[in-house]
Amino acid sequence: MTATTGARTATATGTFTPQPGAAPLTRMIAAQTVLETRMLLRNGEQLLLTIVIPALLLVVFSAAPIVTTGAGKRVDFLAPGLLALAVMSTAFTGQAIATGFERRYGVLKRLGASPLPRWALMTAKTGSVLVTEVLQVALLTVIALALGWSPHGNATSVALLLVLGTAAFSGLGLLMAGTLKAEATLAAANLVFLLLLVGGGVIVPLSTFPHGVATALHMLPISALAEGLREVLQHGAGMPWGDLGILAVWAVLGLTAAGRFFRWE
Amino acid sequence: MQSTPAVEVTGLVKRYGAKTAVNGLDLSVPRGCVAAVLGPNGAGKTTTVETCEGYRRPDAGHVRVLGLDPVAEAASLRPRIGVMLQSGGIYPGARAAEMLRHTAKLHREPLDANALIERLGLGSCGRIPYRRLSGGQPQRPALAMAIIGRPELVFLDEPTAGLDPQARRATWDLVRELRADGATVVLTTHFMDEAEKLADTVVIIDGGKVIAHGAPEELARGGAKDTLRFSGRPGLDLASLLKALPADTAAAELTPGSYWVKGKVDPQMLATVTSWCAQHSVMPDRIAVERRTLEDVFLELTGKELRS
Ligand SMILES: Nc1ncnc2c1ncn2[C@@H]1O[C@H](COP(=O)(O)OP(=O)(O)OP(=O)(O)O)[C@@H](O)[C@H]1O
Ligand SMILES: [Mg+2]
């Protein structure tokens, strides 16, 4: 391979004359992130799950006293919970279902033979999850502010919570997608979403449950994220270390298990 | 570097649990060739090809693709090969043209995606997502994706399965052009005529082993007998003809006035038969030479029964 580009083009005349090579990594990752995001935003069920449901819940439960949310404005309690739900819907439910079907349709397998390294594919997937989350957070924030939300606290804590929450849910979602059949992932991911929506302190305060149950439920990643965000945004806390710790443990467990058990075919 | 074969497989063994899918297989594909891998369902074609692509780790044997170990040196190999899986490989929600344009972005000097879209009629799939394409339609974007990166070596696993005749021909033309421009192509197929028309070298595998290989015409000849047919006056004495021909030749009158001669059909044999006819004042009508086709060879080797 000592021939210069000039020499090669001089001898190469055909359309299909081999000139193989990978694109620069940054270009590959950018292209893959764009494609993943486009696939996600094109999918009607995904949009329902990630955009419509959290927004609708925020509006409905803020408007009417359906659940007892404790002292203060209902929206101040609900907005952090629905931000947590938005993260779960994208990083866990949406990502698990999409990746499960990509595995089933041989997309992951085919990409495995492309110049894109696997870690770069995973980076792109994370990128598209983050892009979606930014859209979700923006939308929910606008709605919540319109409903009279007055958030407190510091942005760094919030960002840290969101990032660790995303890592925890991604690990669990990918673990599911990489080990179960696509149909099983579809069913299980939706079921988990529903159960955690009800029992994870998103719109129903954990204090509604008996004390022991509430303590156990608080160990769930969704509760840790919702409560952590609430500590900061509703009560103006600094760093909610306990909740961050719970999320970090889930992130390490989930990502390690996904890395270990994920099957590409 | 160019002198090493594009694909070099020796003694490949691949098991799935207790099932041995490939059992001591040898395969060598020179650069710039089109190689066709034939074999009944479950013969081990996909397993062999996917081992070369780096998807499977051999249980035994030696695999080198473009001089590289496909598993250990996957990172260097992958940008240089093009892969079309037997099925799938495209996002269920993606459109054909979109997926191709995306694949182009993963390569350094890709082909012009629009030209390829035009050529393979991918535009006609329009805005239909991949999961709703019919029958053979998904094959086309998958084929295009395999070649868009200008690979040195292309693996196509049943590229024409389910295609209509026009699309099959378009695929053949593409494969021929790839070869003409210096790429190597390894394809699997169930179509004998496809292998015969397209391939420089054919490998027939069954039960995970190579049972025949060679150039398609060589294989079809394969030392086996061809048939010469002719018509003439009924009741000719064939014994005198057989005396003039090599010992392993056979001849018979099938129906009155209709004869066949089975043996090595070459210009010498044809001359012997026609001069024998002249001696007997017979005008041989409808002389026809019947060559074995690759399909005959395939069925002889693998049996005519349906496999369970
Ligand atoms: N992942 C797998 N797990 C278990 N067995 C497998 C697997 N893949 C293939 N096999 C078995 O290995 C054998 C060879 O399969 P392979 O797919 O290589 O055949 P093939 O020649 O490509 O067949 P076809 O013409 O149907 O595509 C078959 O008996 C098949 O059932
Ligand atoms: Mg196969």
Side-chain angles (χ1 to χ4, degrees):
Chain A
M1 297 308 272
T2 50
T4 64
T5 312
R8 222 187 295 150
T9 33
T11 52
T13 48
T15 318
F16 300 107
T17 303
Q19 286 198 17
L25 255 172
T26 47
R27 202 173 90 197
M28 288 199 278
I29 294 175
Q32 190 68 33
T33 307
V34 168
L35 182 76
E36 297 271 342
T37 310
R38 211 161 347 126
M39 292 299 115
L40 207 146
L41 296 178
R42 186 178 295 164
N43 186 312
E45 294 99 47
Q46 295 264 21
L47 286 183
L48 184 71
L49 196 79
T50 55
I51 306 285
V52 180
I53 290 180
L56 210 64
L57 290 174
L58 178 60
V59 171
V60 169
F61 282 82
S62 299
I66 304 169
V67 291
T68 324
T69 55
K73 277 180 288 177
R74 275 194 297 276
V75 68
D76 288 342
F77 173 86
L78 289 167
L82 288 158
L83 286 174
L85 184 74
V87 168
M88 176 170 79
S89 69
T90 300
F92 174 73
T93 320
Q95 185 166 226
I97 295 171
T99 309
F101 279 96
E102 285 160 19
R103 188 162 76 98
R104 144 85 157 282
Y105 277 89
V107 177
L108 301 182
K109 181 177 177 179
R110 174 62 184 78
L111 283 171
S114 78
L116 185 75
R118 279 180 176 168
W119 66 263
L121 171 62
M122 285 320 189
T123 306
K125 281 194 170 293
T126 306
S128 90
V129 165
L130 293 177
V131 168
T132 312
E133 286 180 0
V134 166
L135 296 177
Q136 289 174 300
V137 170
L139 180 74
L140 288 174
T141 303
V142 168
I143 295 176
L145 290 174
L147 293 168
W149 182 35
S150 37
H152 306 272
N154 80 39
T156 318
S157 308
V158 172
L160 201 59
L161 281 163
L162 293 177
V163 167
L164 268 182
T166 303
F169 283 121
S170 291
L172 298 170
L174 292 172
L175 176 64
M176 196 177 252
T179 50
L180 303 181
K181 277 198 178 140
E183 288 75 12
T185 299
L186 178 66
N190 279 318
L191 184 69
V192 168
F193 178 82
L194 220 78
L195 291 177
L196 295 191
L197 165 62
V198 176
V202 174
I203 41 181
V204 182
L206 286 178
S207 56
T208 323
F209 298 94
H211 181 71
V213 178
T215 313
L217 287 177
H218 199 149
M219 293 297 137
L220 292 171
I222 183 69
S223 322
L225 182 55
E227 289 297 310
L229 287 171
R230 224 163 255 144
E231 282 300 309
V232 180
L233 293 166
Q234 189 175 15
H235 306 301
M239 278 287 170
W241 291 113
D243 295 309
L244 285 170
I246 296 175
L247 289 174
V249 170
W250 279 105
V252 169
L253 288 180
L255 292 170
T256 309
R260 171 83 183 70
F261 298 112
F262 197 93
R263 290 174 46 221
W264 295 82
E265 290 179 30
Chain B
M1 272 308 279
Q2 292 299 313
S3 56
T4 59
V7 176
E8 181 88 278
V9 174
T10 45
L12 174 64
V13 175
K14 180 67 207 170
R15 298 185 198 94
Y16 297 110
K19 162 102 204 161
T20 303
V22 176
N23 190 9
L25 181 136
D26 299 328
L27 172 70
S28 178
V29 181
R31 294 199 188 229
C33 273
V34 175
V37 180
L38 295 169
N41 289 129
K45 302 182 294 295
T46 298
T47 305
T48 302
V49 168
E50 291 191 347
T51 307
C52 295
E53 291 161 351
Y55 286 116
R56 319 248 169 269
R57 197 181 289 274
D59 290 314
H62 178 87
V63 179
R64 283 291 173 276
V65 177
L66 301 175
L68 300 170
D69 179 326
V71 178
E73 292 166 295
S76 339
L77 180 62
R78 280 173 176 164
R80 295 170 63 188
I81 62 173
V83 168
M84 175 181 179
L85 300 174
Q86 184 163 357
S87 65
I90 300 178
Y91 285 81
R95 293 152 195 150
E98 179 179 39
M99 195 65 208
L100 185 62
R101 289 203 182 89
H102 172 67
T103 311
K105 293 200 188 100
L106 303 180
H107 294 274
R108 196 182 58 212
E109 288 182 70
L111 298 173
D112 178 9
N114 289 329
L116 209 52
I117 287 165
E118 176 98 355
R119 175 160 179 180
L120 289 173
L122 297 181
S124 69
C125 302
R127 299 184 63 80
I128 308 169
Y130 176 73
R131 63 173 177 276
R132 300 215 197 93
L133 293 180
S134 74
Q137 275 179 320
Q139 305 292 83
R140 295 193 228 173
L143 171 68
M145 282 163 63
I147 63 171
I148 188 122
R150 300 205 191 195
E152 281 170 71
L153 169 62
V154 191
F155 292 100
L156 307 173
D157 199 353
E158 299 197 24
T160 62
L163 291 188
D164 62 33
Q166 288 83 356
R168 267 185 92 191
R169 276 177 177 71
T171 304
W172 293 350
D173 289 341
L174 207 59
V175 169
R176 290 192 184 108
E177 270 180 63
L178 282 165
R179 172 178 49 198
D181 289 345
T184 310
V185 180
V186 177
L187 58 88
T188 72
T189 181
H190 286 291
F191 299 110
M192 303 299 142
D193 61 328
E194 183 162 293
E196 217 158 7
K197 287 198 182 88
L198 218 49
D200 303 299
T201 169
V202 170
V203 179
I204 302 181
I205 67 179
D206 193 10
K209 284 196 169 87
V210 173
I211 52 171
H213 67 95
E217 58 276 7
E218 254 173 51
L219 264 184
R221 276 322 77 68
K225 292 168 179 156
D226 292 319
T227 306
L228 180 76
R229 292 174 186 277
F230 65 92
S231 314
R233 204 172 60 226
L236 289 171
D237 173 25
L238 292 169
S240 59
L241 172 61
L242 284 177
K243 256 180 236 142
L245 288 168
D248 61 345
T249 312
E253 185 172 2
L254 289 181
T255 55
S258 170
Y259 300 88
W260 63 243
V261 185
K262 238 185 170 79
K264 185 162 184 279
V265 179
D266 53 11
Q268 189 54 52
M269 184 222 227
L270 193 59
T272 311
V273 172
T274 47
S275 66
W276 174 83
C277 285
Q279 279 162 26
H280 292 77
S281 311
V282 171
M283 175 62 208
D285 267 339
R286 278 175 284 155
I287 291 193
V289 175
E290 281 174 12
R291 297 277 190 208
R292 291 197 319 169
T293 63
L294 200 54
E295 182 143 5
D296 297 326
V297 177
F298 183 82
L299 291 173
E300 276 165 32
L301 288 171
T302 59
K304 290 200 167 73
E305 284 79 45
L306 277 177
R307 309 294 183 87
S308 55

